[in-house]
Amino acid sequence: MEKKILIALDDSTHARFALKYALAASDLIDDLHYVLIYAHPKLSEIMVEEARTNHQVRRELDHMARKQREIADALLEDGRAILVQGGIDGARISTAALAYGQGIAKDLILYAENHRLDAIVAGRRGISSLQSFFMGSVSNNLVLQSLEIPVWVVGAKVTPKNILVAVDGRETALRALDHLAFMLGPPRNMNLTLVHMRPRLRDYCEFDIEADSREAETRIVETDASGCVDAFYPKVEAKLKEFGFDPDQVSFKKLETLTTIASGIVKEAQKGDYDTIVLGRRGADPHGFTGRVSHHVLNS
């Protein structure tokens, strides 16, 4: 079955990492198609209007438009060349220059939704040479604003081979697993590790937990988390079986949380030498808040 991903390009190293990660994904994903997008700002409406009567402004506007096309053409052709050299059939690659109006992230999301793409791939530090706090303004906004289209944030020179799936018994975790299983299925020679970090009471509460609250902590955790995850596993097994995974390809791990859930996930990923972490949008709401866990993991 055909699967399509959007790759946001610019002249940054991190965008190149994202492109090469997506290229390597073709070793795991059958019939993967690539849509390369270079997003640039729209020309000033004021200048466009003034250019109708001012010859000098029209010349400047034409020059700006020509430079934008040259930059877009060069970046998109370079991206296509990398994919073709990596063994991707040119027929599976399309390119487009996108003049954004609502902001780069929002317009990329709208493009992906309108063209029914399966994922958006972006470099960790955004789509400009300006670097903002944490992940970068563009990649951060993609994660915050994309409520339906999965987002792959690539932070370094890695290839998708060893995948950790964080599960917490929630519907959002099952949706993330559904996306992963759909993209990979029917799976080739690979294994998945599903990890559940047993939460502590502070993962439920913002206030400080006193030492004498251990009994309450145990009761809340055991009744809410453990039972929820135990009931979740049959759904996971059914979902993976639906996409052709053999039970032997999937392993489950329950780990104690010594610090926070997010820190536990990051430490386990480092310990197991995982290159990819799959997270559901826990805490997602109409305003695009992703939740403390996913936010911390992405920025770590």
Side-chain angles (χ1 to χ4, degrees):
M1 182 177 182
E2 182 178 294
K3 298 149 190 178
K4 290 185 176 182
I5 58 176
L6 182 157
I7 306 174
L9 293 183
D10 68 355
D11 60 350
S12 71
T13 300
H14 292 86
R16 185 66 65 91
F17 287 157
L19 180 65
K20 291 188 175 181
Y21 181 93
L23 170 60
S26 65
D27 290 334
L28 302 177
I29 302 173
D30 291 325
D31 201 15
L32 184 59
H33 290 242
Y34 300 83
V35 181
L36 309 183
I37 299 289
Y38 171 71
H40 60 83
K42 285 185 177 179
L43 296 174
S44 167
E45 294 292 343
I46 296 177
M47 290 186 66
V48 170
E49 186 63 30
E50 189 173 350
R52 299 179 188 276
T53 57
N54 189 314
H55 178 68
Q56 180 62 30
V57 172
R58 185 162 60 251
R59 287 177 55 190
E60 292 179 7
L61 203 63
D62 290 343
H63 175 73
M64 292 171 60
R66 186 166 58 254
K67 291 296 294 183
Q68 283 185 344
R69 286 194 300 271
E70 290 174 356
I71 293 172
D73 290 346
L75 285 171
L76 293 171
E77 183 55 38
D78 182 57
R80 172 185 281 274
I82 290 174
L83 293 178
V84 171
Q85 290 169 10
I88 304 300
D89 185 344
R92 290 197 279 135
I93 306 169
S94 60
T95 62
L98 177 66
Y100 61 85
Q102 300 184 48
I104 297 178
K106 183 63 176 178
D107 281 12
L108 287 173
I109 293 168
L110 290 173
Y111 186 97
E113 291 176 346
N114 292 335
H115 291 79
R116 298 185 179 182
L117 305 184
D118 296 302
I120 299 172
V121 187
R124 181 180 177 85
R125 288 297 175 183
I127 310 176
S128 74
S129 57
L130 298 176
Q131 305 214 348
S132 62
F133 194 49
F134 293 122
M135 282 196 297
S137 60
V138 175
S139 50
N140 192 51
N141 285 335
L142 283 170
V143 172
L144 291 174
Q145 298 175 25
S146 184
L147 301 181
E148 298 297 332
I149 305 293
V151 178
W152 303 0
V153 179
V154 183
K157 187 178 181 180
V158 293
T159 56
K161 294 179 181 178
N162 199 12
I163 301 174
L164 182 157
V165 186
V167 296
D168 59 4
R170 298 171 186 262
E171 181 65 24
T172 51
L174 190 62
R175 288 182 62 191
L177 186 67
D178 179 81
H179 171 66
L180 177 66
F182 166 73
M183 296 301 290
L184 295 177
R188 303 182 187 181
N189 185 26
M190 67 168 303
N191 298 307
L192 296 180
T193 302
L194 276 61
V195 174
H196 171 62
M197 304 301 303
R198 183 174 180 268
R200 303 180 70 173
L201 188 56
R202 61 171 164 265
D203 292 307
Y204 294 90
C205 310
E206 294 291 344
F207 53 82
D208 292 332
I209 305 302
E210 301 295 337
D212 60 3
S213 66
R214 293 294 176 84
E215 182 179 350
E217 176 175 347
T218 300
R219 183 170 63 254
I220 292 174
V221 168
E222 288 184 349
T223 56
D224 182 43
S226 296
C228 184
V229 171
D230 288 342
F232 181 71
Y233 285 157
K235 296 181 180 180
V236 169
E237 292 173 344
K239 178 65 66 178
L240 293 174
K241 184 178 180 180
E242 175 188 345
F243 287 101
F245 281 83
D246 187 279
D248 293 337
Q249 293 180 282
V250 185
S251 60
F252 296 87
K253 298 178 71 173
K254 284 186 179 181
L255 303 175
E256 293 292 328
T257 306
L258 300 178
T259 52
T260 65
I261 292 177
S263 296
I265 292 172
V266 172
K267 289 180 181 179
E268 176 63 19
Q270 295 169 337
K271 178 181 176 182
D273 195 28
Y274 295 93
D275 50 66
T276 301
I277 300 175
V278 179
L279 290 166
R281 290 183 54 86
R282 181 180 178 183
D285 61 24
H287 301 291
F289 179 63
T290 57
R292 287 180 300 160
V293 174
S294 51
H295 180 78
H296 180 88
V297 171
L298 281 165
N299 287 301
S300 297

